[in-house]
Amino acid sequence: MLRIREAIVVEGRYDKNTLAQVVDTVILETSGFAIFRDEETLSLLRRIGEKRGLILLTDSDGAGFLIRNYLKGALPADQVKHAYIPDRYGKERRKRRPGKEGKLGVEGMPPAVLEAALRRAGATVLGEDAPPPAGTPLTKADLYACGLSGGEGSRAKRQKLLQRLDLPAHLSPNAMLPILSALYDRETLLAEMERL
């Protein structure tokens, strides 16, 4: 499994599930065309891009390029790398019929193809190209210890923290962990919790 510094942006949850079997990094979804009217997610992408960089990995069909071009204009160019999958025709296993253009998306690509696409895009593979990020990474146990999950009043604490950090309010503890990990280390999060 590749450990990549940059966060990867994909179209949907099936793309995310497939990619999570290949790489160890933050993987964010655009929810397809919903990104066009989701300022909260766009703001989050900008913040993570500033901190770690982003790799856009969309399908090779017209819809994928529409989403990619929108993000290309909405995000700072120096923080974004572009990974492209090849045009392969067929249908994903979970679907009854192929997509409109008959091409496989990210979810239909073999792991070796996804890895090659990320390497061609210039992904920073930790252990090969760069030292690991400084600071202690966050875990689910940290969220629990901070009272952000699994306890009485954890939802209210989570909402306060998300508001203080200017992050989307709808994040569950599981969704919050990779985002907080991309932006903060354990020491910084504990300092923020002290301020609450």
Side-chain angles (χ1 to χ4, degrees):
M1 182 168 290
L2 290 178
R3 289 182 61 233
I4 294 179
R5 175 173 171 66
E6 296 87 358
I8 302 175
V9 181
V10 294
E11 292 179 51
R13 72 173 179 263
Y14 294 106
D15 299 332
K16 180 178 180 178
N17 293 343
T18 299
L19 202 55
Q21 297 170 31
V22 178
V23 296
D24 178 14
T25 191
V26 178
I27 304 170
L28 302 162
E29 303 169 41
T30 67
S31 298
F33 293 140
I35 192 67
F36 295 156
R37 58 189 180 286
D38 189 349
E39 278 301 317
E40 219 173 42
T41 300
L42 204 53
S43 174
L44 177 62
L45 292 177
R46 286 184 187 116
R47 286 182 66 190
I48 291 180
E50 186 178 331
K51 180 91 173 180
R52 296 176 67 146
L54 296 171
I55 298 175
L56 297 183
L57 180 61
T58 59
D59 295 349
S60 59
D61 59 5
F65 274 88
L66 197 63
I67 292 167
R68 179 186 299 273
N69 287 333
Y70 172 76
L71 291 173
K72 192 175 176 181
L75 300 169
D78 62 328
Q79 297 170 5
V80 179
K81 296 176 181 178
H82 295 271
Y84 296 92
I85 58 171
D87 280 348
R88 298 243 173 105
Y89 291 89
K91 73 169 193 66
E92 283 86 3
R93 265 187 263 162
R94 70 177 178 86
K95 295 181 178 176
R96 290 185 184 182
R97 294 187 301 265
K100 187 176 179 181
E101 296 178 31
K103 296 177 183 179
L104 289 173
V106 170
E107 73 173 280
M109 291 292 135
V113 171
L114 293 173
E115 181 179 337
L118 293 169
R119 286 184 183 275
R120 274 193 313 271
T124 307
V125 180
L126 299 176
E128 290 179 15
D129 299 346
T136 311
L138 292 170
T139 65
K140 283 187 176 185
D142 294 325
L143 297 184
Y144 180 78
C146 289
L148 297 171
S149 70
E152 191 174 322
S154 61
R155 181 183 172 110
K157 277 187 181 176
R158 200 167 51 249
Q159 294 298 316
K160 272 186 174 176
L161 179 67
L162 291 171
Q163 184 176 16
R164 177 173 179 74
L165 300 178
D166 196 28
L167 291 170
H170 66 276
L171 294 175
S172 68
N174 284 340
M176 191 169 89
L177 182 61
I179 291 168
L180 286 177
S181 294
L183 296 170
Y184 306 99
D185 57 26
R186 180 181 293 148
E187 294 74 23
T188 309
L189 178 66
L190 291 175
E192 286 296 335
M193 290 304 296
E194 294 278 327
R195 292 185 194 114
L196 281 180

